[in-house]
Amino acid sequence: MVLVSAVRDYVNRMLQDISGMKVLILDSQTVSIVSVVYSQSELLQKEVFLVELIDSISKSKESMSHLKAVYFLRPTSENIQYMRRQLSNPRFGEYHLFFSNMLKDTQIHLLADSDEQEVVQQVQEFYADFIAIDPYHFTLNMPSNHYYILPAVVDPSNLQHFCDRAVDGIGAVFLALKRRPIIRYSRTSDIAKRIAHETAKLMYQQESGLFDFRRMEMSPLLLIVDRRDDPVTPLLNQWTYQAMVHELIGIQDNKVDLRSIGKFPKDQQEVVLSSEQDAFFKANMYENFGDIGMNIKRMVDDFQQVAKSNQNIQTIEDMAKFVDNYPEYRKMHGNVSKHVTLVTEMSKIVEERKLMLVSETEQELACNGGQVAAFEAVNNLLNNESISDIDRLRLVMLYALRYEKESSVQLMQLFNKLASRSAKYKPGLVQFLLKQAGVDKRTGDLYGNRDFLNIARNMARGLKGVENVYTQHQPLLFQTMESIIKGRLRDVDYPYVGNHFQQGRPQEVIIFIVGGTTYEESRSVAQLNASSSGIRFILGGTAVLNSKRFLKDLEEAQGIARTNANSYEKVRLDKSAHETDGSGSPLQGKSGRPHISPTTSVGRKKFQIVVNGKRSSISKTQPQPQPQLQILKLDNWEERLFDPSFCVVTKSFFE
Amino acid sequence: MAMRNRTWLFNKYRDALKGARAPTRSSAAETAKLRARSGVAPAIEMAGTSLLHSKRSYTVVSTEDPGNSSKGAATIGLPPAWVDVSEEIATYVQRARAKMVELGKAHAKALMPSFGDGIEDQRNIENLTNEITNLLKRSEKRLQKLSATGPSEDSNVRKNVQRQLATDLQNLSMELRKKQSTYLKRLRQQLEEGSDVEMNLNGNRPKEEDDDLDDLMLNEYQMAKLKQSEAYTVEREREIQQASSVLLTVVESVNELAQIMKDLSVLVIDQGTIIDRIDYNIQNVATTVEEGLKQLQKAERTQKQGGMVMCASVLVIMCFVMLILLILKEIIF
């Protein structure tokens, strides 16, 4: 309840002191923040009779001076501009401004400048800058989430923007909880380190007065990890209710949009799945698919009984009772039809995409199993016609992540097969993923095969057997949290920021995953919180991922990296073109070293590669034949950006 | 839950900036009064006094300066007419709530055992119930008046006000019916108990008395007992009549309330559904406004292409042509 109640308290405080009819004006981010914790009927109780977005309200010119305006915005420069325009032509009687994060002095100055008519009554900072989707799970819902994958030099301004938003969100969470934490981050991730240091700077130096709360015996812990430490969890198919709905259909701000998957009656096109408002969902959100089916059947039976008793109305008392119970009856009816619709749709999707079959192999790949059996299984599924492209891609990625170092020949075979089978597959995506989240880039022991204790544990688990093959995977986060509970989080892997050290175990831990969280991880958090371990965990991320979103982020990052690499390469190639003979014809390098020369204009990137005397032209429009080359381990960051097929070429080029 | 109040800093900046702006504005003043004061005002501002003093002097300038409208003083302008309707309904709701409390007390009093026949109590309860039902009915009728048409922002405000009042009314009517049903139940229980007790009394006494007394006495006693039992039955009948009349009134009010509830349920939002989400409502407003715009544009276009305009212009041209022909005919012949 902690996060939801914090945001609700803020909204209550905003509205309670202002009497009379009010209008609430939000921006596109704060509307999500408020919608997940406050309902329209509650707003009406507080006499807020109009809710608007700030960009649409600037278009209309009606003057409604009998209303008082309450603005709740993020302190971005865009919003400040809108505010200035509105303050110079005020439409409402009074203006109360609330900002969801810290304002800079210049921004206050700008606002004061435009408030010529003195309509602003108060300007406050209420730190509700995060979307509290579940009691212990928050997200920042960043639209351009993929920047965490790219190194800093590719797009520094956007990356700075990304980091700023993350730091603001984390700062707001701690201000809402009134704590100042000790910060640790994942060693191998640059962006985690950067966010950790900037957060420390904010909390301990820049705004240390604001963060100076009463010290408890144990400060809470903020742990910043990178999504790339555990790329397996977002790729898996899920079988527990909330995670499954998000994976197959998609949940946004606790709303599910069913219009994309079929035709529905008007009131079932969009539904709300919130554990606060729906008791059935709260009881079942972490149950697996089979149990949900049984619980829904029970709910439908109960409802049918109630409906039947409403049918035979004979006496006046019956009529009176019916009219009494009618609102509850209607609510129950709506709830039942919502859950039945969701489960039906999901069953349909599972049937179509043969997800039971695919998921079995996925879980094998993620948890246990030998390499040979896995290869067989993945091969068979790739040959199967009814498996969709995205499922094939996920299988190959999971296989590549697990067996990256063993038998590269088989890996190549799988890549070839994938490229030939899937028409829309962009080449190099799996390799890109391996480069970003390969075994050398990860902190922590994703597959439990790095230290002896984990291997032993895995063997024990294999011998014991699992109760459900489809839900046997535990995300890496679970292990991290367990080591925190035992007080054994290694300093080597997760160093501290600054010179704060902590002996013993913290009472509250906030884990922030740069790149996004998944509902499977929030389920582990909820389960650990329910077991009385004495520590309260809160999970947050820059977005909530499912496999589609994760793959989209990878693709976008790859696209940006590629364009950047090409423009970079073009610069280098122009320079080299001057260095060749005046004729510009490709030089036969000494000792058969290959050279690259550009042939055509900027539009089509066509390169001629001379490899050991033989000329082979490779153009970007055709799928590249995968040469029998080993993927080299490259240290230089520039070379990381290029595709593996160019690896050999470019390495020698830069020598 | 941390928060930070920036109002002080904001006011400081605002006043400082107003000071920087005011001298320029007063120099371009229109009225003589301002011109007279403009000599004084800059002197106060440039005094460089503390924040408190400068604040006071700025307020003086602001109320005199015609450039700044006196919005600081009269911030809330005159509300539109429908606000009065909503306030009226709100007062009805308040009154109804007060009466409900009274009704509760009257119910409790009527249920207590009393020596009188309790007719006044019944009448009191009836009156109160009728009044409350009337208030609810009147509020509901006025509520219908609040509905507005057109996609303006004002209509959204009206719709939301309507929704909130509808929720209040529905809650009140449900409360009323619950009170009535509990009262009825208790009343029925009491009557049954009373009748049981009386039956027992009637049944026991004859047995005891018959054996002990002689015939004459018996006769007299029997007559007296008969009269007593008659009185009892009369009493019982009256009570039954009262109870049935109460039941009838209750039935009537149940019917009325059911009607009201049906009308209101259209207006009231169900909790927990998608309609109860703020972002859904914002999107819908946006789409309906856009739809309205599209419809208007379409209507404009069809109007322009309308046959009416064509016909009228054709007819006018024909008139001119005929006129010219007429003139030519006159000239030639």
Side-chain angles (χ1 to χ4, degrees):
Chain A
M1 275 311 288
V2 133
L3 293 170
V4 171
S5 53
V7 182
R8 276 186 70 98
D9 284 340
Y10 275 130
V11 180
N12 279 336
R13 281 291 287 268
M14 261 187 253
L15 300 174
Q16 77 188 19
D17 292 327
I18 309 173
S19 63
M21 304 212 293
K22 300 181 267 283
V23 52
L24 179 64
I25 300 167
L26 307 166
D27 72 23
S28 51
Q29 300 244 354
T30 50
V31 76
S32 310
I33 296 174
V34 176
S35 306
V36 294
V37 297
Y38 229 73
S39 64
Q40 179 87 356
S41 44
E42 287 171 337
L43 275 188
L44 290 180
Q45 290 287 336
K46 297 255 180 213
E47 293 188 296
V48 175
F49 292 125
L50 187 60
V51 182
E52 288 276 336
L53 287 178
I54 190 165
D55 36 6
S56 59
I57 208 174
S58 24
K59 293 193 192 132
S60 109
K61 295 285 177 200
E62 277 178 63
S63 160
M64 297 205 263
S65 53
H66 53 284
L67 296 175
K68 303 187 191 176
V70 176
Y71 281 77
F72 180 46
L73 310 170
R74 290 206 69 238
T76 60
S77 46
E78 214 178 45
N79 286 342
I80 300 283
Q81 288 304 321
Y82 279 129
M83 276 309 315
R84 297 192 64 195
R85 253 180 274 148
Q86 301 213 358
L87 285 177
S88 43
N89 294 328
R91 289 175 58 204
F92 303 105
E94 290 180 9
Y95 281 71
H96 303 259
L97 307 183
F98 297 93
F99 288 94
S100 67
N101 218 312
M102 295 166 256
L103 283 167
K104 300 198 260 285
D105 276 357
T106 48
Q107 292 175 318
I108 305 184
H109 206 247
L110 281 173
L111 285 176
D113 190 22
S114 42
D115 185 22
E116 299 176 7
Q117 315 211 16
E118 300 207 359
V119 285
V120 173
Q121 307 293 318
Q122 49 175 329
V123 177
Q124 300 226 25
E125 293 173 359
F126 275 13
Y127 302 105
D129 207 10
F130 51 93
I131 302 178
I133 41 188
D134 277 326
Y136 297 106
H137 187 196
F138 72 88
T139 176
L140 300 178
N141 230 0
M142 287 204 238
S144 51
N145 190 27
H146 49 275
Y147 286 107
Y148 75 98
I149 301 179
L150 302 165
V153 289
V154 172
D155 196 344
S157 64
N158 272 327
L159 191 64
Q160 181 64 40
H161 201 243
F162 180 87
C163 289
D164 285 342
R165 178 71 181 98
V167 170
D168 284 345
I170 299 175
V173 170
F174 280 102
L175 283 169
L177 298 175
K178 289 182 94 157
R179 297 269 187 275
R180 182 158 62 177
I182 293 190
I183 308 177
R184 295 174 75 168
Y185 59 95
S186 160
R187 177 184 50 93
T188 45
S189 166
D190 288 330
I191 188 156
K193 179 171 175 187
R194 179 169 170 171
I195 293 181
H197 280 283
E198 288 192 13
T199 314
K201 199 162 65 153
L202 175 73
M203 292 189 185
Y204 288 97
Q205 290 163 21
Q206 286 173 350
E207 298 277 355
S208 59
L210 190 57
F211 278 88
D212 197 11
F213 300 115
R214 185 170 55 92
R215 290 285 306 269
M216 324 224 54
E217 330 77 43
M218 279 308 254
S219 292
L221 171 67
L222 168 65
L223 180 63
I224 302 185
V225 295
D226 195 326
R227 177 79 260 160
R228 293 172 286 181
D229 283 345
D230 181 10
V232 170
T233 312
L235 289 174
L236 288 176
N237 196 41
Q238 303 296 330
W239 295 95
T240 60
Y241 198 14
Q242 189 185 33
M244 193 172 176
V245 173
H246 185 49
E247 172 70 34
L248 299 182
I249 309 175
I251 303 182
Q252 174 78 352
D253 299 338
N254 287 347
K255 274 192 308 181
V256 182
D257 190 357
L258 293 169
R259 283 177 288 203
S260 49
I261 57 174
K263 279 278 175 213
F264 290 99
K266 190 84 196 305
D267 59 341
Q268 293 288 334
Q269 281 176 354
E270 273 190 81
V271 291
V272 176
L273 270 188
S274 158
S275 61
E276 303 295 306
Q277 296 172 344
D278 188 348
F280 178 80
F281 185 64
K282 186 169 185 165
N284 284 299
M285 58 200 272
Y286 301 128
E287 299 294 325
N288 65 50
F289 202 40
D291 294 338
I292 300 167
M294 288 197 355
N295 289 340
I296 286 191
K297 179 174 178 311
R298 217 176 299 146
M299 184 169 70
V300 171
D301 285 339
D302 288 340
F303 177 68
Q304 272 182 343
Q305 275 193 353
V306 173
K308 217 175 291 184
S309 72
N310 278 340
Q311 295 267 350
N312 43 349
I313 298 181
Q314 308 214 339
T315 66
I316 301 233
E317 280 98 38
D318 283 347
M319 205 164 38
K321 224 190 309 165
F322 174 72
V323 180
D324 263 331
N325 297 337
Y326 184 65
E328 313 229 339
Y329 171 78
R330 213 160 68 140
K331 191 167 162 187
M332 202 175 165
H333 174 77
N335 214 17
V336 168
S337 47
K338 167 174 84 180
H339 287 290
V340 168
T341 314
L342 277 175
V343 172
T344 326
E345 287 309 310
M346 290 201 296
S347 303
K348 244 190 270 178
I349 297 178
V350 167
E351 263 305 308
E352 275 174 36
R353 284 166 58 179
K354 307 258 185 308
L355 285 177
M356 307 280 272
L357 198 56
V358 174
S359 185
E360 200 178 328
T361 313
E362 283 175 4
Q363 296 283 334
E364 296 271 315
L365 283 172
C367 301
N368 48 12
Q371 193 254 326
V372 180
F375 180 69
E376 282 292 322
V378 175
N379 231 349
N380 287 340
L381 283 174
L382 280 181
N383 290 331
N384 192 338
E385 285 303 327
S386 46
I387 309 284
S388 66
D389 288 343
I390 192 175
D391 293 327
R392 284 196 199 123
L393 179 60
R394 284 190 311 168
L395 280 168
V396 174
M397 277 188 172
L398 286 167
Y399 181 88
L401 282 168
R402 178 103 195 223
Y403 301 113
E404 176 185 354
K405 296 288 182 192
E406 319 173 14
S407 99
S408 48
V409 175
Q410 287 184 330
L411 196 59
M412 275 302 156
Q413 282 180 9
L414 285 179
F415 288 159
N416 291 339
K417 194 175 285 198
L418 180 65
S420 62
R421 286 263 166 186
S422 305
K424 290 187 296 185
Y425 168 61
K426 291 195 177 52
L429 194 60
V430 187
Q431 289 91 326
F432 185 70
L433 173 67
L434 280 179
K435 224 181 313 184
Q436 295 295 326
V439 92
D440 312 307
K441 304 277 174 313
R442 298 197 293 256
T443 312
D445 192 6
L446 182 56
Y447 291 110
N449 48 13
R450 274 202 205 168
D451 79 33
F452 288 125
L453 196 59
N454 279 335
I455 296 179
R457 207 183 297 158
N458 273 351
M459 285 207 290
R461 208 186 316 151
L463 287 173
K464 196 163 60 148
V466 280
E467 41 177 85
N468 192 339
V469 175
Y470 295 105
T471 55
Q472 56 180 315
H473 177 252
Q474 291 278 22
L476 180 67
L477 188 73
F478 189 73
Q479 287 174 27
T480 316
M481 290 195 289
E482 273 188 341
S483 32
I484 294 179
I485 292 179
K486 294 189 195 128
R488 273 202 256 128
L489 196 63
R490 290 164 58 180
D491 290 351
V492 177
D493 287 336
Y494 296 100
Y496 288 87
V497 169
N499 50 6
H500 308 111
F501 289 104
Q502 199 174 52
Q503 312 289 33
R505 320 172 331 162
Q507 301 284 37
E508 284 183 18
V509 179
I510 301 198
I511 303 180
F512 187 81
I513 306 187
V514 179
T517 57
T518 57
Y519 279 116
E520 188 181 351
E521 287 162 342
S522 95
R523 173 173 178 253
S524 324
V525 168
Q527 283 180 336
L528 269 181
N529 278 334
S531 77
S532 41
S533 57
I535 299 187
R536 188 176 72 176
F537 287 97
I538 295 179
L539 179 68
T542 50
V544 181
L545 297 177
N546 54 9
S547 56
K548 263 191 290 234
R549 180 81 196 259
F550 185 58
L551 290 172
K552 190 173 85 125
D553 284 343
L554 278 177
E555 275 179 29
E556 285 186 18
Q558 189 197 26
I560 296 181
R562 204 177 270 185
T563 46
N564 204 19
N566 284 336
S567 59
Y568 186 78
E569 196 173 289
K570 194 148 191 320
V571 167
R572 296 289 284 249
L573 290 170
D574 284 340
K575 263 201 264 172
S576 87
H578 295 310
E579 290 162 14
T580 60
D581 301 335
S583 61
S585 58
L587 267 184
Q588 194 67 260
K590 332 175 179 53
S591 70
R593 249 197 274 161
H595 280 257
I596 304 178
S597 57
T599 49
T600 56
S601 59
V602 187
R604 290 180 300 150
K605 299 173 177 57
K606 201 166 181 216
F607 298 96
Q608 274 195 327
I609 298 185
V610 181
V611 180
N612 290 340
K614 275 190 277 198
R615 216 177 287 186
S616 60
S617 86
I618 299 180
S619 78
K620 283 259 189 260
T621 49
Q622 294 165 13
Q624 310 145 10
Q626 301 279 359
Q628 289 287 356
L629 297 170
Q630 283 227 311
I631 301 171
L632 291 178
K633 273 232 40 78
L634 302 165
D635 310 309
N636 203 344
W637 67 265
E638 296 139 352
E639 292 155 353
R640 255 192 228 161
L641 297 176
F642 298 105
D643 271 325
S645 44
F646 286 116
C647 275
V648 173
V649 176
T650 51
K651 189 167 191 325
S652 51
F653 180 71
F654 282 120
E655 272 160 18
Chain B
M1 201 180 68
M3 53 190 78
R4 186 159 67 169
N5 197 336
R6 307 291 242 155
T7 317
W8 182 84
L9 191 61
F10 179 82
N11 284 335
K12 189 171 89 159
Y13 282 143
R14 181 167 69 185
D15 298 335
L17 286 166
K18 200 162 15 125
R21 232 183 287 130
T24 54
R25 191 165 292 149
S26 55
S27 64
E30 301 127 18
T31 62
K33 202 175 17 170
L34 194 67
R35 233 175 275 131
R37 290 215 200 281
S38 65
V40 184
I44 303 177
E45 283 145 24
M46 287 179 214
T49 50
S50 69
L51 187 62
L52 236 55
H53 284 160
S54 47
K55 254 189 158 165
R56 240 185 286 132
S57 66
Y58 290 150
T59 51
V60 165
V61 173
S62 68
T63 49
E64 301 293 341
D65 192 345
N68 292 339
S69 67
S70 56
K71 271 279 201 276
T75 43
I76 314 219
L78 286 177
W82 57 265
V83 176
D84 295 330
V85 176
S86 78
E87 276 174 16
E88 206 184 323
I89 299 178
T91 45
Y92 285 163
V93 167
Q94 283 285 51
R95 255 195 285 162
R97 259 200 210 115
K99 287 225 178 355
M100 293 269 275
V101 173
E102 274 181 47
L103 183 69
K105 284 196 208 127
H107 278 326
K109 192 156 150 259
L111 284 176
M112 277 197 309
S114 62
F115 289 114
D117 47 11
I119 289 191
E120 288 98 41
D121 287 339
Q122 301 288 359
R123 219 176 282 144
N124 193 16
I125 290 176
E126 256 182 65
N127 284 342
L128 278 174
T129 321
N130 283 340
E131 276 176 32
I132 297 179
T133 324
N134 279 341
L135 277 172
L136 291 178
K137 259 202 288 192
R138 250 190 290 164
S139 320
E140 198 229 326
K141 273 200 212 106
R142 304 314 293 283
L143 197 63
Q144 299 293 344
K145 267 203 208 161
L146 270 184
S147 357
T149 52
S152 73
E153 273 175 359
D154 195 46
S155 71
N156 282 333
V157 183
R158 286 166 79 153
K159 194 170 60 146
N160 285 331
V161 174
Q162 208 184 16
R163 270 199 196 137
Q164 189 236 346
L165 291 169
T167 326
D168 281 344
L169 283 178
Q170 198 182 52
N171 288 342
L172 267 181
S173 55
M174 275 178 37
E175 221 185 298
L176 175 64
R177 288 235 325 296
K178 249 184 229 137
K179 276 206 168 98
Q180 275 180 336
S181 56
T182 45
Y183 172 63
L184 265 184
K185 234 188 286 175
R186 288 225 213 104
L187 191 66
R188 215 174 292 138
Q189 270 178 10
Q190 265 199 358
L191 282 180
E192 282 172 11
E193 278 169 25
S195 62
D196 283 343
V197 166
E198 285 163 13
M199 297 258 232
N200 283 341
L201 281 174
N202 277 342
N204 284 341
R205 283 228 204 100
K207 277 207 203 104
E208 290 171 5
E209 308 300 329
D210 271 341
D211 303 333
D212 295 8
L213 302 171
D214 52 270
D215 294 316
L216 213 74
M217 290 289 280
L218 268 177
N219 259 348
E220 276 183 18
Y221 199 80
Q222 272 183 349
M223 295 257 283
K225 218 172 23 66
L226 260 174
K227 280 208 198 92
Q228 217 182 24
S229 60
E230 272 176 22
Y232 276 142
T233 44
V234 165
E235 178 85 34
R236 293 277 300 125
E237 276 174 21
R238 221 170 351 118
E239 275 176 9
I240 291 175
Q241 266 179 11
Q242 278 176 13
S244 57
S245 65
V246 166
L247 272 172
L248 272 174
T249 49
V250 169
V251 164
E252 275 171 27
S253 60
V254 164
N255 281 338
E256 289 171 5
L257 285 174
Q259 191 59 33
I260 295 177
M261 280 242 330
K262 202 161 63 91
D263 297 331
L264 287 179
S265 67
V266 177
L267 297 169
V268 170
I269 309 174
D270 281 326
Q271 310 258 350
T273 58
I274 187 71
I275 308 177
D276 206 13
R277 290 274 301 214
I278 300 172
D279 41 10
Y280 180 78
N281 282 318
I282 289 185
Q283 280 171 6
N284 266 6
V285 165
T287 46
T288 43
V289 168
E290 282 176 17
E291 290 280 309
L293 189 63
K294 264 190 247 159
Q295 294 286 342
L296 274 173
Q297 286 175 342
K298 221 191 324 175
E300 207 187 321
R301 250 180 286 135
T302 44
Q303 267 250 329
K304 275 204 200 132
Q305 295 169 354
M308 288 289 285
V309 181
M310 287 277 278
C311 278
S313 43
V314 163
L315 281 172
V316 167
I317 291 174
M318 291 287 287
C319 282
F320 274 124
V321 166
M322 291 302 160
L323 195 65
I324 291 172
L325 281 177
L326 196 65
I327 295 174
L328 283 177
K329 197 171 88 157
E330 291 301 317
I331 293 177
I332 291 176
F333 295 115

